[in-house]
Amino acid sequence: MSLPLVTTAERRHRLGRRHRLAPSARAATVAEAADSVVALHATDAATVYLSARARLTEGGTDAIERALYEDVSLVRLLSMRNTLFAVSAGLAPYVDASTARAIAAKERRTLLKHLDEDGQGLDAQWLARTEAAALDALDAHGPSTGSQLSAAVPALRQKITISRGKKYETEQGVTTRVIRLLAADGRIRRDRPRGSWTSSQYRWVHTEPWPAVPAAEARVEIARRWLRSYGPATEADLKWWTGWTLTEVRKALAAVGPDQVRLEDGSAALVSPGDTGTEPAPEPWAALLPALDPTGMGWADRGFHLDPAHRSALFDYAGNIGPTVWWNGEIVGGWAQRSGGEIVWRLLGSPGRAAERAITAEAARLAAWVGDARITPRFRTPLERELVA
């Protein structure tokens, strides 16, 4: 029995609709925008805003700030691939249980190992007291930066030596490590930053950990949602995206029960159960997506939406994607913001006059939305550097 065929064009149609990038598919709320791609990359503060903006029907930075800091419908979690993501509050317990718990446990083991090797007698009891004091300080003083916490809690000013006796020996304060551990455990979360929405210098607030969900159940839910947004895809794609072991990926997929389809190159891929039919083509759409946007980073194999010849211009040496220009589900160029605020872009190929008109209009909309803010990706790529220069 032959497998249903899903063409490259069909995959791009799905991307436009399910990733909320086609105009008629855009989301009404920030949480819906995040759910459409499962999670928004949050390593770079600006990416959360620009990724959400590309998927929303309307609203400025204030709408995204409300979601992050007032109604808390969007939260940042250290999760997949030990990377910071922003996810909807409804999905957060599943992301926490499927991925973040294991990261938190590893973070704690690492810090305790460093404390023991430092030889000052700092141990798990000292760490527990320091964490409790930090939470008490947040309760007493409200949202606080790491510097403010360190000023309020003397133990956080403790310094330890890492890799003592080795050529890369270094002395570090424990403030950042303790804060990272509390955040990984879900006992604190990032609040409003110092400065504008592009800043990564956050204040912190005391919060309650997410409700406990069995890890296996949580992985099934994440796999189910990921397949809906990113299928057709392979177990190798899901393993790369989540950072799970191959055994964990296979068990989660077995519980989901995906269907198989055939791609144009003859290979097999997975889709959600019953998701083998064709999807109507959305209206033509252009998008300027930020560095690390999930649509550019969602698969280990991105050949259906990116000409391999353009990869070296759009990715850095570590595989991080830069700002990209999209036309109807395909990456056709890159963009950047110059120091004066101008949005500039370059096509890699010839998508046609209709594409150029739509991209020009989208760049103007992006410039108006960004306003006086200045955006420099944390991970610079060759084309972005060239455009800025």
Side-chain angles (χ1 to χ4, degrees):
M1 179 177 173
S2 63
L3 299 175
L5 173 67
V6 176
T7 65
T8 297
E10 166 67 12
R11 295 184 76 179
R12 293 174 180 172
H13 295 165
R14 292 181 179 215
L15 187 152
R17 289 184 180 276
R18 298 183 185 185
H19 287 217
R20 303 279 198 166
L21 291 167
S24 64
R26 287 178 186 155
T29 70
V30 177
E32 289 173 354
D35 280 341
S36 71
V37 287
V38 187
L40 301 174
H41 277 264
T43 303
D44 195 326
T47 293
V48 175
Y49 286 80
L50 297 176
S51 290
R53 172 250 165 211
R55 295 169 171 84
L56 289 171
T57 54
E58 60 183 2
T61 57
D62 56 337
I64 301 166
E65 288 177 331
R66 282 196 301 273
L68 285 165
Y69 308 124
E70 295 177 22
D71 59 42
V72 196
S73 58
L74 190 71
V75 293
R76 295 181 178 91
L77 292 178
L78 186 65
S79 49
M80 285 73 71
R81 303 190 311 282
N82 205 15
T83 299
L84 192 64
F85 282 88
V87 304
S88 67
L91 187 60
Y94 297 94
V95 173
D96 179 67
S98 69
T99 310
R101 290 294 87 239
I103 292 172
K106 183 178 180 181
E107 291 281 331
R108 184 169 294 277
R109 289 194 301 270
T110 299
L111 180 52
L112 288 172
K113 179 175 180 288
H114 288 323
L115 293 178
D116 180 62
E117 292 174 347
D118 184 54
Q120 298 186 61
L122 308 179
D123 55 14
Q125 287 72 34
W126 176 88
L127 179 57
R129 290 194 299 271
T130 303
E131 290 175 298
L135 296 177
D136 288 344
L138 287 175
D139 291 339
H141 302 293
S144 304
T145 64
S147 296
Q148 290 168 330
L149 276 176
S150 180
V153 180
L156 289 176
R157 300 195 290 274
Q158 177 73 46
K159 293 185 180 298
I160 60 174
T161 300
I162 307 296
S163 302
R164 187 183 297 277
K166 299 180 180 177
K167 62 181 181 180
Y168 45 86
E169 174 183 314
T170 183
E171 187 178 64
Q172 296 181 355
V174 300
T175 301
T176 300
R177 288 179 173 269
V178 172
I179 287 175
R180 182 178 172 89
L181 186 54
L182 287 170
D185 276 339
R187 290 187 286 171
I188 63 175
R189 64 171 174 81
R190 291 163 179 81
D191 198 62
R192 293 184 183 276
R194 294 183 63 186
S196 74
W197 55 273
T198 62
S199 171
S200 294
Q201 295 184 346
Y202 299 105
R203 296 176 176 86
W204 298 89
V205 294
H206 189 180
T207 190
E208 292 298 318
W210 297 104
V213 178
E217 176 186 329
R219 284 192 288 271
V220 172
E221 178 64 13
I222 297 299
R224 183 186 68 78
R225 294 199 187 204
W226 183 85
L227 263 185
R228 178 63 182 170
S229 294
Y230 293 92
T234 66
E235 64 178 30
D237 290 326
L238 180 57
K239 180 180 184 297
W240 178 85
W241 189 85
T242 58
W244 300 341
T245 66
L246 184 57
T247 297
E248 291 169 338
V249 167
R250 287 175 172 170
K251 286 182 176 179
L253 287 173
V256 172
D259 287 340
Q260 279 197 325
V261 296
R262 178 170 53 90
L263 303 180
E264 285 186 331
D265 64 2
S267 63
L270 306 174
V271 294
S272 297
D275 191 20
T276 58
T278 59
E279 191 157 333
E283 64 274 43
W285 60 272
L288 272 65
L289 299 184
L292 298 177
D293 186 87
T295 298
M297 296 282 287
W299 302 262
D301 179 7
R302 304 170 181 118
F304 79 97
H305 66 57
L306 172 64
D307 184 333
H310 303 324
R311 185 181 179 94
S312 61
L314 296 170
F315 286 79
D316 72 2
Y317 71 93
N320 299 302
I321 199 168
T324 47
V325 176
W326 294 70
W327 174 243
N328 292 339
E330 182 181 9
I331 297 177
V332 296
W335 66 274
Q337 185 189 38
R338 291 184 174 154
S339 59
E342 179 187 5
I343 301 294
V344 291
W345 48 277
R346 182 187 300 167
L347 294 180
L348 301 171
S350 302
R353 296 178 65 87
E356 292 188 30
R357 288 193 297 269
I359 292 164
T360 299
E362 183 61 21
R365 285 192 291 270
L366 175 61
W369 194 91
V370 169
D372 294 333
R374 295 294 178 265
I375 302 158
T376 301
R378 178 171 295 187
F379 304 106
R380 309 291 299 277
T381 54
L383 182 54
E384 187 269 337
R385 288 182 182 276
E386 287 180 27
L387 290 171
V388 168

